[in-house]
Amino acid sequence: GRGTEFEGAIIAFFHLLITRSDKIGALKEALYRQNLPNLTNLLATVLVFVLAIYFQGWRVVLPVKYQRYRGQEGQYPIK
């Protein structure tokens, strides 16, 4: 077998780096584990959270023209 495997991605990463002599192979295994959480999943989750927080700070203002009242214009802010 593969020996001891930990369920958490970060704990498994450090365990693999400490116990394996092939550090590049340990890094690849920590990034791309098949049956357990891996670092790629963790990094993708962090990226989605960072992007969501970044885009929540944006504000878009749409110009609105009224058809009933000529020359009237307004703004509709969207956050």
Side-chain angles (χ1 to χ4, degrees):
R2 300 171 78 76
T4 305
E5 286 193 288
F6 289 95
E7 206 168 310
I10 296 173
I11 294 173
F13 169 67
F14 286 114
H15 171 74
L16 289 169
L17 282 180
I18 292 169
T19 58
R20 300 277 169 94
S21 59
D22 178 21
K23 303 302 182 192
I24 301 297
L27 179 63
K28 286 182 183 177
E29 185 174 342
L31 283 170
Y32 304 115
R33 293 194 306 170
Q34 290 293 321
N35 299 326
L36 293 169
N38 58 40
L39 287 179
T40 305
N41 294 345
L42 182 65
L43 293 174
T45 302
V46 169
L47 178 68
V48 167
F49 274 107
V50 167
L51 286 175
I53 291 169
Y54 176 72
F55 284 122
Q56 272 193 336
W58 278 24
R59 181 178 166 162
V60 178
V61 178
L62 296 177
V64 179
K65 293 183 180 181
Y66 298 102
Q67 289 183 346
R68 287 187 182 177
Y69 310 109
R70 298 185 81 185
Q72 283 288 81
E73 291 185 6
Q75 295 179 343
Y76 186 73
I78 298 176
K79 180 162 179 157

Coordinates of all heavy atoms in Angstrom, one line a residue:
G1 N 0.8 -1.2 0.0 CA 0.0 0.0 0.0 C 0.8 1.3 0.0 O 2.1 1.3 -0.2
R2 N 0.1 2.3 0.2 CA 0.8 3.6 0.2 C 1.2 4.1 1.6 O 1.8 5.1 1.8 CB -0.3 4.6 -0.3 CG -0.8 4.3 -1.7 CD -1.9 5.2 -2.1 NE -1.5 6.5 -2.5 CZ -1.0 6.9 -3.6 NH1 -0.7 6.0 -4.5 NH2 -0.7 8.1 -3.9
G3 N 1.0 3.3 2.6 CA 1.4 3.6 3.9 C 0.3 4.5 4.6 O -0.8 4.5 4.2
T4 N 0.7 5.2 5.6 CA -0.2 6.0 6.4 C -0.7 7.2 5.5 O 0.1 7.9 4.9 CB 0.4 6.6 7.6 OG1 0.9 5.5 8.4 CG2 -0.6 7.3 8.5
E5 N -2.0 7.4 5.4 CA -2.6 8.5 4.7 C -3.5 9.3 5.7 O -4.3 8.7 6.4 CB -3.4 8.1 3.5 CG -2.5 7.6 2.3 CD -3.3 7.5 1.1 OE1 -4.2 6.6 1.0 OE2 -3.2 8.4 0.2
F6 N -3.4 10.6 5.6 CA -4.2 11.5 6.5 C -5.3 12.1 5.6 O -5.2 12.3 4.4 CB -3.4 12.6 7.1 CG -2.4 12.1 8.2 CD1 -1.1 11.8 7.9 CD2 -2.9 11.9 9.5 CE1 -0.2 11.3 8.8 CE2 -2.0 11.4 10.4 CZ -0.7 11.1 10.1
E7 N -6.4 12.3 6.3 CA -7.6 12.8 5.6 C -7.5 14.3 5.2 O -7.9 14.7 4.1 CB -8.9 12.6 6.4 CG -10.1 12.5 5.6 CD -11.3 12.0 6.5 OE1 -11.1 11.0 7.2 OE2 -12.3 12.6 6.4
G8 N -6.9 15.1 6.0 CA -6.8 16.5 5.7 C -5.7 16.8 4.7 O -4.7 16.2 4.7
A9 N -6.0 17.8 3.8 CA -5.0 18.1 2.7 C -3.7 18.7 3.3 O -2.6 18.4 2.8 CB -5.7 19.0 1.7
I10 N -3.8 19.6 4.2 CA -2.7 20.3 4.7 C -1.8 19.4 5.6 O -0.6 19.3 5.5 CB -3.1 21.6 5.5 CG1 -3.8 22.5 4.6 CG2 -1.9 22.2 6.2 CD1 -4.3 23.7 5.2
I11 N -2.5 18.6 6.4 CA -1.7 17.6 7.3 C -1.1 16.6 6.4 O 0.1 16.2 6.6 CB -2.7 17.0 8.3 CG1 -3.2 18.0 9.3 CG2 -2.0 15.8 9.0 CD1 -4.3 17.5 10.2
A12 N -1.8 16.1 5.4 CA -1.2 15.1 4.5 C 0.0 15.7 3.7 O 1.0 15.0 3.5 CB -2.2 14.6 3.5
F13 N -0.1 17.0 3.3 CA 1.0 17.7 2.6 C 2.3 17.7 3.5 O 3.4 17.2 3.0 CB 0.6 19.1 2.3 CG 1.7 20.0 1.8 CD1 2.3 19.7 0.6 CD2 2.2 21.0 2.6 CE1 3.4 20.5 0.1 CE2 3.2 21.8 2.1 CZ 3.8 21.6 0.9
F14 N 2.2 18.1 4.8 CA 3.3 18.1 5.6 C 3.8 16.7 5.9 O 5.0 16.5 6.0 CB 3.0 18.9 6.9 CG 3.0 20.4 6.7 CD1 1.8 21.1 6.8 CD2 4.1 21.1 6.3 CE1 1.8 22.5 6.6 CE2 4.1 22.5 6.0 CZ 2.9 23.1 6.2
H15 N 2.9 15.8 6.1 CA 3.3 14.4 6.4 C 4.1 13.8 5.2 O 5.1 13.2 5.4 CB 2.1 13.5 6.7 CG 2.4 12.1 6.8 ND1 3.0 11.5 7.9 CD2 2.1 11.1 5.9 CE1 3.1 10.2 7.7 NE2 2.6 9.9 6.5
L16 N 3.6 14.0 4.0 CA 4.3 13.5 2.9 C 5.7 14.2 2.7 O 6.6 13.5 2.3 CB 3.4 13.7 1.6 CG 2.2 12.9 1.5 CD1 1.3 13.4 0.4 CD2 2.6 11.4 1.3
L17 N 5.8 15.5 2.9 CA 7.1 16.1 2.8 C 8.1 15.7 3.8 O 9.3 15.6 3.5 CB 6.9 17.7 2.9 CG 6.4 18.4 1.7 CD1 6.3 19.9 2.0 CD2 7.3 18.1 0.5
I18 N 7.6 15.3 5.0 CA 8.5 14.9 6.1 C 9.0 13.4 5.9 O 10.1 13.1 6.0 CB 7.9 15.1 7.5 CG1 7.8 16.6 7.8 CG2 8.7 14.4 8.5 CD1 6.9 16.9 9.0
T19 N 8.0 12.6 5.5 CA 8.3 11.1 5.4 C 8.9 10.7 4.1 O 9.5 9.6 4.1 CB 7.0 10.3 5.7 OG1 6.0 10.7 4.8 CG2 6.5 10.6 7.1
R20 N 8.6 11.3 3.0 CA 9.1 10.9 1.7 C 10.5 11.4 1.4 O 10.8 12.6 1.7 CB 8.2 11.3 0.6 CG 6.8 10.7 0.8 CD 6.7 9.3 0.2 NE 5.4 8.7 0.6 CZ 4.4 8.6 -0.2 NH1 4.4 9.2 -1.3 NH2 3.3 8.0 0.3
S21 N 11.3 10.6 0.8 CA 12.7 11.1 0.4 C 12.6 11.9 -0.9 O 13.3 12.8 -1.1 CB 13.6 10.0 0.3 OG 13.2 9.0 -0.7
D22 N 11.6 11.5 -1.8 CA 11.4 12.2 -3.0 C 10.4 13.4 -2.8 O 9.2 13.2 -2.7 CB 10.8 11.2 -4.1 CG 10.5 11.9 -5.4 OD1 11.1 13.0 -5.7 OD2 9.7 11.3 -6.2
K23 N 10.9 14.6 -2.6 CA 10.1 15.7 -2.2 C 9.2 16.2 -3.3 O 8.1 16.6 -3.1 CB 11.0 16.9 -1.7 CG 11.9 16.6 -0.6 CD 11.1 16.1 0.6 CE 12.1 15.9 1.8 NZ 11.5 15.2 2.9
I24 N 9.7 16.1 -4.6 CA 8.9 16.5 -5.7 C 7.7 15.5 -5.9 O 6.5 15.9 -6.1 CB 9.7 16.5 -7.0 CG1 10.9 17.5 -6.9 CG2 8.8 16.8 -8.2 CD1 10.4 18.9 -6.7
G25 N 7.9 14.2 -5.7 CA 6.9 13.2 -5.8 C 5.9 13.4 -4.6 O 4.7 13.3 -4.8
A26 N 6.4 13.8 -3.4 CA 5.5 14.1 -2.3 C 4.6 15.3 -2.6 O 3.4 15.3 -2.3 CB 6.3 14.3 -1.0
L27 N 5.2 16.3 -3.2 CA 4.4 17.5 -3.6 C 3.3 17.2 -4.6 O 2.2 17.6 -4.5 CB 5.3 18.6 -4.1 CG 4.7 19.9 -4.5 CD1 4.0 20.5 -3.3 CD2 5.7 20.8 -5.1
K28 N 3.7 16.4 -5.6 CA 2.7 16.0 -6.6 C 1.6 15.1 -6.0 O 0.4 15.3 -6.4 CB 3.4 15.2 -7.7 CG 4.2 16.0 -8.7 CD 4.8 15.2 -9.8 CE 5.7 16.0 -10.7 NZ 6.4 15.2 -11.7
E29 N 1.9 14.2 -5.1 CA 0.9 13.4 -4.5 C 0.0 14.3 -3.6 O -1.2 14.1 -3.6 CB 1.5 12.3 -3.7 CG 0.5 11.4 -3.1 CD 1.1 10.2 -2.4 OE1 2.3 9.9 -2.6 OE2 0.4 9.5 -1.6
A30 N 0.5 15.2 -2.9 CA -0.3 16.1 -2.1 C -1.2 17.0 -2.9 O -2.3 17.3 -2.5 CB 0.6 17.0 -1.2
L31 N -0.8 17.4 -4.1 CA -1.6 18.3 -5.0 C -2.7 17.5 -5.7 O -3.8 18.0 -5.9 CB -0.7 18.9 -6.0 CG 0.1 20.1 -5.5 CD1 1.1 20.5 -6.6 CD2 -0.8 21.3 -5.2
Y32 N -2.4 16.2 -6.0 CA -3.3 15.5 -6.9 C -3.8 14.2 -6.3 O -4.1 13.2 -7.1 CB -2.6 15.2 -8.3 CG -2.1 16.4 -9.0 CD1 -0.8 16.6 -9.1 CD2 -3.0 17.4 -9.4 CE1 -0.3 17.7 -9.8 CE2 -2.5 18.6 -10.0 CZ -1.2 18.7 -10.2 OH -0.7 19.8 -10.8
R33 N -4.0 14.1 -5.0 CA -4.5 12.8 -4.4 C -5.9 12.6 -5.0 O -6.7 13.5 -5.1 CB -4.6 12.9 -2.9 CG -3.3 13.0 -2.3 CD -3.3 12.8 -0.8 NE -4.3 13.6 -0.1 CZ -4.6 13.4 1.2 NH1 -4.1 12.5 1.9 NH2 -5.5 14.3 1.8
Q34 N -6.2 11.3 -5.3 CA -7.5 11.0 -6.0 C -8.6 10.8 -5.0 O -9.7 11.3 -5.2 CB -7.3 9.7 -6.8 CG -6.5 9.8 -8.0 CD -7.1 10.7 -9.0 OE1 -8.3 10.7 -9.3 NE2 -6.3 11.6 -9.7
N35 N -8.5 10.0 -3.9 CA -9.6 9.6 -3.1 C -9.8 10.4 -1.9 O -10.7 10.3 -1.1 CB -9.3 8.1 -2.6 CG -9.3 7.2 -3.8 OD1 -10.0 7.4 -4.8 ND2 -8.5 6.2 -3.7
L36 N -8.9 11.3 -1.6 CA -8.9 12.2 -0.4 C -8.8 13.6 -0.8 O -8.4 13.9 -1.9 CB -7.8 11.8 0.6 CG -8.0 10.4 1.2 CD1 -6.7 10.0 1.9 CD2 -9.2 10.3 2.1
P37 N -9.1 14.6 0.1 CA -8.9 16.0 -0.3 C -7.5 16.3 -0.6 O -6.5 15.7 0.0 CB -9.3 16.7 1.0 CG -10.2 15.8 1.8 CD -9.7 14.4 1.4
N38 N -7.3 17.1 -1.6 CA -5.9 17.4 -2.0 C -5.7 19.0 -2.0 O -6.7 19.7 -1.8 CB -5.6 16.8 -3.4 CG -6.5 17.3 -4.5 OD1 -6.9 18.4 -4.5 ND2 -6.9 16.3 -5.3
L39 N -4.5 19.4 -2.2 CA -4.2 20.8 -2.2 C -4.8 21.6 -3.3 O -5.1 22.8 -3.2 CB -2.7 21.0 -2.2 CG -2.0 20.7 -0.8 CD1 -0.5 20.9 -1.0 CD2 -2.5 21.4 0.3
T40 N -5.0 20.9 -4.5 CA -5.6 21.6 -5.6 C -7.0 22.0 -5.3 O -7.4 23.1 -5.6 CB -5.6 20.7 -6.9 OG1 -4.2 20.3 -7.1 CG2 -6.1 21.4 -8.1
N41 N -7.8 21.1 -4.6 CA -9.1 21.5 -4.2 C -9.1 22.6 -3.2 O -10.0 23.5 -3.3 CB -9.8 20.3 -3.6 CG -10.0 19.1 -4.5 OD1 -10.0 19.3 -5.7 ND2 -10.3 18.0 -4.0
L42 N -8.2 22.6 -2.3 CA -8.1 23.7 -1.3 C -7.7 25.0 -1.9 O -8.4 26.0 -1.6 CB -7.0 23.3 -0.3 CG -6.8 24.3 0.9 CD1 -8.1 24.3 1.7 CD2 -5.7 23.8 1.7
L43 N -6.8 25.0 -2.9 CA -6.4 26.3 -3.5 C -7.6 26.8 -4.4 O -7.8 28.0 -4.5 CB -5.2 26.0 -4.4 CG -3.9 25.8 -3.6 CD1 -2.7 25.4 -4.5 CD2 -3.5 26.9 -2.7
A44 N -8.3 25.9 -5.0 CA -9.5 26.4 -5.9 C -10.5 27.0 -5.0 O -11.1 28.0 -5.3 CB -10.0 25.2 -6.6
T45 N -10.8 26.4 -3.8 CA -11.7 27.0 -2.9 C -11.3 28.4 -2.4 O -12.1 29.3 -2.3 CB -11.9 26.0 -1.7 OG1 -12.3 24.8 -2.2 CG2 -13.0 26.6 -0.7
V46 N -10.0 28.5 -2.0 CA -9.5 29.8 -1.6 C -9.6 30.8 -2.7 O -10.0 32.0 -2.4 CB -8.1 29.6 -1.1 CG1 -7.4 31.0 -0.9 CG2 -8.0 28.8 0.2
L47 N -9.3 30.4 -3.9 CA -9.4 31.3 -5.1 C -10.9 31.8 -5.3 O -11.1 33.0 -5.5 CB -8.9 30.7 -6.3 CG -9.0 31.5 -7.6 CD1 -8.1 32.7 -7.6 CD2 -8.8 30.6 -8.8
V48 N -11.9 30.9 -5.2 CA -13.3 31.3 -5.3 C -13.7 32.3 -4.2 O -14.4 33.3 -4.5 CB -14.2 30.1 -5.3 CG1 -15.6 30.5 -5.2 CG2 -13.9 29.3 -6.6
F49 N -13.3 32.1 -3.0 CA -13.6 33.0 -1.9 C -13.0 34.4 -2.1 O -13.6 35.4 -1.9 CB -13.2 32.4 -0.5 CG -14.2 31.5 0.1 CD1 -14.0 30.2 0.1 CD2 -15.3 32.0 0.6 CE1 -14.9 29.3 0.7 CE2 -16.3 31.2 1.2 CZ -16.0 29.9 1.2
V50 N -11.7 34.4 -2.5 CA -11.0 35.7 -2.8 C -11.7 36.4 -3.9 O -11.9 37.7 -3.8 CB -9.5 35.4 -3.0 CG1 -8.9 36.7 -3.6 CG2 -8.8 35.0 -1.8
L51 N -12.1 35.8 -5.0 CA -12.7 36.4 -6.1 C -14.1 36.9 -5.7 O -14.5 38.1 -6.1 CB -12.9 35.5 -7.3 CG -11.6 35.2 -8.0 CD1 -11.8 34.2 -9.1 CD2 -11.1 36.5 -8.7
A52 N -14.9 36.2 -4.9 CA -16.2 36.6 -4.4 C -16.1 37.8 -3.5 O -16.8 38.8 -3.7 CB -16.9 35.5 -3.7
I53 N -15.1 37.9 -2.6 CA -14.9 39.0 -1.8 C -14.5 40.3 -2.6 O -15.0 41.4 -2.4 CB -13.9 38.7 -0.7 CG1 -14.5 37.7 0.3 CG2 -13.5 40.0 0.1 CD1 -13.5 37.1 1.3
Y54 N -13.6 40.0 -3.6 CA -13.2 41.1 -4.4 C -14.3 41.7 -5.2 O -14.5 43.0 -5.3 CB -12.1 40.6 -5.4 CG -11.6 41.7 -6.4 CD1 -10.8 42.7 -6.0 CD2 -11.9 41.6 -7.7 CE1 -10.4 43.7 -6.9 CE2 -11.5 42.5 -8.6 CZ -10.7 43.6 -8.2 OH -10.3 44.5 -9.1
F55 N -15.1 40.9 -5.8 CA -16.2 41.4 -6.7 C -17.4 42.0 -5.9 O -18.2 42.7 -6.4 CB -16.7 40.3 -7.6 CG -15.8 40.1 -8.8 CD1 -15.3 38.8 -9.0 CD2 -15.5 41.1 -9.6 CE1 -14.4 38.6 -10.1 CE2 -14.6 40.9 -10.7 CZ -14.1 39.7 -11.0
Q56 N -17.5 41.6 -4.6 CA -18.5 42.2 -3.7 C -18.2 43.7 -3.5 O -19.1 44.5 -3.2 CB -18.6 41.5 -2.4 CG -19.5 40.4 -2.4 CD -19.9 39.9 -1.0 OE1 -19.1 40.1 -0.1 NE2 -21.0 39.2 -0.9
G57 N -17.0 44.1 -3.6 CA -16.6 45.5 -3.5 C -16.9 46.4 -4.7 O -16.9 47.6 -4.6
W58 N -17.3 45.8 -5.8 CA -17.6 46.6 -7.0 C -18.9 47.2 -6.9 O -19.9 46.7 -6.3 CB -17.5 45.6 -8.2 CG -16.1 45.4 -8.7 CD1 -15.0 45.5 -8.0 CD2 -15.8 45.0 -10.0 NE1 -13.9 45.2 -8.8 CE2 -14.4 44.9 -10.1 CE3 -16.5 44.8 -11.2 CZ2 -13.7 44.5 -11.2 CZ3 -15.8 44.4 -12.3 CH2 -14.4 44.3 -12.3
R59 N -19.1 48.3 -7.6 CA -20.4 49.0 -7.8 C -20.5 49.4 -9.2 O -19.7 50.1 -9.7 CB -20.4 50.2 -6.8 CG -21.8 50.9 -6.9 CD -21.8 52.0 -5.9 NE -22.9 52.9 -6.2 CZ -23.4 53.7 -5.3 NH1 -22.9 53.9 -4.1 NH2 -24.4 54.5 -5.7
V60 N -21.6 49.1 -9.8 CA -21.9 49.4 -11.2 C -23.1 50.4 -11.2 O -24.1 50.1 -10.6 CB -22.2 48.2 -12.0 CG1 -22.6 48.6 -13.5 CG2 -21.0 47.2 -12.0
V61 N -23.1 51.5 -11.9 CA -24.2 52.4 -12.0 C -24.7 52.4 -13.4 O -24.0 52.6 -14.4 CB -23.7 53.8 -11.6 CG1 -24.8 54.8 -11.8 CG2 -23.1 53.9 -10.2
L62 N -26.0 52.0 -13.5 CA -26.6 52.0 -14.8 C -27.4 53.3 -15.1 O -28.2 53.7 -14.3 CB -27.6 50.8 -14.9 CG -27.0 49.4 -14.8 CD1 -28.2 48.4 -14.8 CD2 -26.1 49.1 -15.9
P63 N -27.2 53.9 -16.2 CA -28.0 55.1 -16.6 C -29.4 54.7 -17.0 O -29.5 53.7 -17.8 CB -27.2 55.8 -17.7 CG -26.4 54.7 -18.3 CD -26.1 53.7 -17.2
V64 N -30.4 55.4 -16.5 CA -31.8 55.1 -16.8 C -32.4 56.3 -17.4 O -32.3 57.4 -16.9 CB -32.6 54.7 -15.5 CG1 -34.0 54.4 -15.8 CG2 -31.9 53.5 -14.8
K65 N -33.1 56.1 -18.6 CA -33.8 57.2 -19.2 C -35.3 56.9 -19.2 O -35.7 55.8 -19.4 CB -33.4 57.3 -20.7 CG -32.0 57.8 -20.9 CD -31.7 58.0 -22.3 CE -30.2 58.4 -22.5 NZ -29.8 58.6 -23.9
Y66 N -36.1 57.9 -18.8 CA -37.5 57.7 -18.6 C -38.2 58.0 -20.0 O -38.0 59.1 -20.5 CB -38.1 58.5 -17.5 CG -37.5 58.2 -16.2 CD1 -36.5 59.0 -15.6 CD2 -37.9 57.1 -15.5 CE1 -35.9 58.6 -14.4 CE2 -37.4 56.7 -14.2 CZ -36.4 57.5 -13.7 OH -35.9 57.2 -12.5
Q67 N -39.1 57.2 -20.4 CA -39.8 57.5 -21.7 C -41.0 58.4 -21.5 O -41.3 59.2 -22.4 CB -40.4 56.2 -22.3 CG -39.3 55.3 -22.8 CD -39.8 54.0 -23.5 OE1 -41.0 53.7 -23.3 NE2 -39.0 53.3 -24.2
R68 N -41.6 58.5 -20.4 CA -42.7 59.4 -20.2 C -42.3 60.8 -20.0 O -43.0 61.7 -20.4 CB -43.5 59.0 -18.9 CG -44.3 57.7 -19.1 CD -45.2 57.5 -17.9 NE -45.9 56.3 -18.0 CZ -46.7 55.8 -17.1 NH1 -46.8 56.4 -15.9 NH2 -47.3 54.7 -17.2
Y69 N -41.1 61.0 -19.4 CA -40.7 62.4 -19.2 C -39.4 62.6 -20.0 O -38.4 62.0 -19.7 CB -40.3 62.6 -17.7 CG -41.5 62.1 -16.8 CD1 -41.3 61.0 -16.0 CD2 -42.6 62.9 -16.7 CE1 -42.4 60.6 -15.1 CE2 -43.7 62.5 -15.8 CZ -43.5 61.3 -15.1 OH -44.5 60.9 -14.3
R70 N -39.5 63.4 -21.0 CA -38.4 63.7 -21.9 C -37.3 64.4 -21.2 O -37.5 65.4 -20.5 CB -38.9 64.5 -23.1 CG -39.9 63.8 -23.9 CD -40.2 64.5 -25.2 NE -39.2 64.2 -26.1 CZ -39.1 64.8 -27.3 NH1 -40.0 65.8 -27.6 NH2 -38.1 64.5 -28.1
G71 N -36.1 64.0 -21.4 CA -34.9 64.6 -20.8 C -34.6 64.2 -19.4 O -33.6 64.6 -18.8
Q72 N -35.5 63.4 -18.8 CA -35.3 62.9 -17.4 C -34.3 61.7 -17.5 O -34.6 60.8 -18.2 CB -36.5 62.5 -16.7 CG -37.4 63.7 -16.2 CD -36.7 64.3 -15.0 OE1 -35.8 65.1 -15.2 NE2 -37.2 63.9 -13.8
E73 N -33.3 61.8 -16.7 CA -32.4 60.7 -16.6 C -32.1 60.4 -15.1 O -32.1 61.3 -14.3 CB -31.0 61.0 -17.3 CG -31.2 61.0 -18.8 CD -29.9 61.2 -19.5 OE1 -28.8 61.1 -18.9 OE2 -29.8 61.4 -20.8
G74 N -31.8 59.2 -14.8 CA -31.5 58.8 -13.5 C -30.4 57.8 -13.5 O -29.9 57.4 -14.5
Q75 N -30.0 57.3 -12.3 CA -29.0 56.3 -12.2 C -29.6 55.2 -11.3 O -30.3 55.4 -10.3 CB -27.7 56.9 -11.5 CG -27.1 57.9 -12.4 CD -25.8 58.5 -11.7 OE1 -25.7 58.3 -10.5 NE2 -25.0 59.1 -12.5
Y76 N -29.2 54.0 -11.6 CA -29.6 52.8 -10.8 C -28.3 52.1 -10.4 O -27.7 51.4 -11.2 CB -30.5 51.9 -11.7 CG -31.1 50.7 -10.9 CD1 -32.1 50.9 -10.0 CD2 -30.6 49.5 -11.1 CE1 -32.6 49.9 -9.3 CE2 -31.1 48.4 -10.4 CZ -32.1 48.6 -9.5 OH -32.7 47.6 -8.8
P77 N -27.9 52.3 -9.1 CA -26.7 51.6 -8.7 C -26.9 50.1 -8.4 O -28.0 49.8 -7.8 CB -26.3 52.4 -7.4 CG -27.6 52.9 -6.9 CD -28.5 53.2 -8.1
I78 N -26.0 49.3 -8.8 CA -26.0 47.9 -8.5 C -24.8 47.5 -7.7 O -23.7 47.9 -8.2 CB -26.1 47.1 -9.8 CG1 -27.4 47.4 -10.5 CG2 -26.0 45.6 -9.4 CD1 -27.5 46.6 -11.9
K79 N -24.9 46.9 -6.6 CA -23.7 46.5 -5.9 C -23.6 45.0 -5.9 O -24.5 44.3 -5.8 CB -23.8 47.0 -4.4 CG -22.6 46.5 -3.6 CD -22.5 47.3 -2.4 CE -21.3 46.7 -1.7 NZ -20.6 47.5 -0.8

